């Protein structure tokens, strides 16, 4: 059922024709690649690999924010099947992340392209990217549950909710790597779960080292807290979804 929900979303987004694979590849390039190409080839060719550092933050964040946007409309977008079909409603927030996992996977290709552009050779630490992607997905699933509830309870505030999620990027070391931040701000950054995610990608691809334990733990702890709080609330609300959208 999860595969069907995600597959339906992808068909709506990319169509059914032979060009859908091309659209799947070009969408992330249009969203992220042009900006990063500008950084690499126009504004900066420095040894610090600014474009790669940015990509290590932008690629996972783009996945998180698109998953959240999808989850905000998860119920209204599937109102017809909610009313007419019996299926586990618990899958709705998860299907939003499943859709973006497939839809955004092409954006991961930007990471090796940035490494090539800056001449950064891969090391065995590159295998930590798999862990980084898994943690990004887990955190996105956890965030999808409160996002879905916001879409149910306060649909008029969807724009504000998206802005709040995007604000997390600027409260994390997205534009500037953590090792370039000093003082009190440096001490507060790890409390943002996005900080750990961004730094795992940088450790794996830019620094060639294993991530620190807190980088792995912070987003997972935040995800666990979100799931413990919001999954029971969503489970209580899902029984009335047909009435809400009917």
């Amino acid at each position: 059922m999860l595969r069907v929900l995600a597959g339906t979303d992808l068909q709506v987004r990319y169509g059914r024709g032979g060009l859908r694979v091309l659209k799947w590849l070009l969408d992330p390039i249009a969203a992220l690649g042009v900006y990063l190409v500008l950084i690499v080839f126009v504004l900066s060719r420095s040894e610090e690999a600014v474009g790669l550092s940015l990509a290590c933050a932008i690629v996972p964040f783009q996945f998180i924010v698109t998953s959240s946007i999808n989850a905000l409309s998860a119920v209204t977008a599937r109102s017809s099947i909610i009313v007419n079909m019996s299926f586990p409603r618990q899958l709705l927030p998860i299907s939003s992340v499943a859709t973006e996992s497939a839809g955004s996977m092409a954006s991961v290709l930007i990471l090796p392209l940035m490494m090539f552009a800056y001449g950064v050779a891969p090391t065995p630490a590159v295998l930590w990217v798999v862990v980084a992607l898994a943690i990004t997905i887990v955190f996105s699933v956890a965030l999808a549950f409160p996002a879905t509830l916001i879409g149910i309870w306060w649909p008029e505030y969807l724009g504000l909710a998206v802005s709040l999620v995007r604000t997390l990027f600027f409260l994390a070391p997205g534009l500037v790597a953590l090792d370039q931040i000093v003082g009190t701000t440096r001490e507060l950054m790890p409390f943002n779960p996005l900080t750990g995610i961004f730094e795992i990608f940088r450790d794996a691809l830019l620094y060639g080292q294993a991530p620190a334990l807190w980088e792995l733990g912070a987003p997972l702890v935040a995800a666990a807290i979100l799931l413990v709080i919001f999954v029971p609330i969503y489970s209580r609300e899902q029984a009335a979804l047909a009435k809400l959208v009917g």
Side-chain angles (χ1 to χ4, degrees):
M1 190 63 202
L2 183 61
R3 180 180 61 83
V4 171
L5 290 170
T8 302
D9 276 357
L10 290 172
Q11 285 181 356
V12 171
R13 182 179 304 179
Y14 298 111
R16 298 173 180 268
L19 294 178
R20 62 182 176 180
V21 175
L22 181 61
K23 187 176 187 298
W24 174 72
L25 289 170
L26 291 179
D27 271 0
I29 302 299
L32 305 176
V34 173
Y35 172 71
L36 291 174
V37 166
L38 177 68
I39 293 293
V40 174
F41 295 105
V42 179
L43 300 182
S44 176
R45 289 288 298 175
S46 63
E47 296 181 358
E48 289 79 9
V50 175
L52 176 57
S53 179
L54 279 171
C56 288
I58 292 174
V59 169
F61 179 73
Q62 182 72 6
F63 174 76
I64 292 169
V65 75
T66 53
S67 296
S68 300
I69 292 172
N70 195 321
L72 286 167
S73 59
V75 172
T76 55
R78 299 174 178 87
S79 58
S80 59
I81 62 171
I82 291 173
V83 173
N84 298 302
M85 291 180 61
S86 176
F87 69 94
R89 269 58 168 173
Q90 202 82 6
L91 293 177
L92 288 175
I94 301 173
S95 70
S96 299
V97 180
T99 297
E100 298 307 325
S101 295
S104 301
M105 194 55 64
S107 65
V108 177
L109 298 175
I110 293 175
L111 296 172
L113 288 176
M114 288 295 103
M115 294 179 71
F116 176 78
Y118 283 100
V120 177
T123 69
V126 74
L127 296 176
W128 282 101
V129 169
V130 178
V131 177
L133 290 171
I135 292 177
T136 302
I137 292 172
V138 170
F139 181 75
S140 298
V141 169
L143 199 59
F145 279 92
T148 303
L149 288 170
I150 291 173
I152 296 171
W153 292 340
W154 305 296
E156 66 273 18
Y157 293 112
L158 297 188
L160 177 60
V162 173
S163 296
L164 290 175
V165 175
R166 286 175 173 156
T167 299
L168 290 175
F169 180 84
F170 298 100
L171 297 178
L175 300 177
V176 179
L178 187 63
D179 60 3
Q180 298 178 13
I181 301 173
V182 297
T184 304
T185 303
R186 168 63 179 81
E187 297 174 0
L188 294 176
M189 282 288 180
F191 289 99
N192 185 337
L194 296 185
T195 299
I197 294 174
F198 297 168
E199 291 302 306
I200 297 173
F201 278 94
R202 288 183 177 126
D203 284 333
L205 301 176
L206 183 58
Y207 306 137
Q209 62 187 21
L213 185 60
W214 71 265
E215 295 172 6
L216 303 170
L220 291 177
V221 169
I225 293 172
L226 289 172
L227 290 171
V228 168
I229 294 174
F230 291 105
V231 169
I233 299 175
Y234 178 82
S235 298
R236 184 190 65 206
E237 292 292 318
Q238 67 176 349
L241 289 183
K243 295 180 181 179
L244 291 172
V245 300

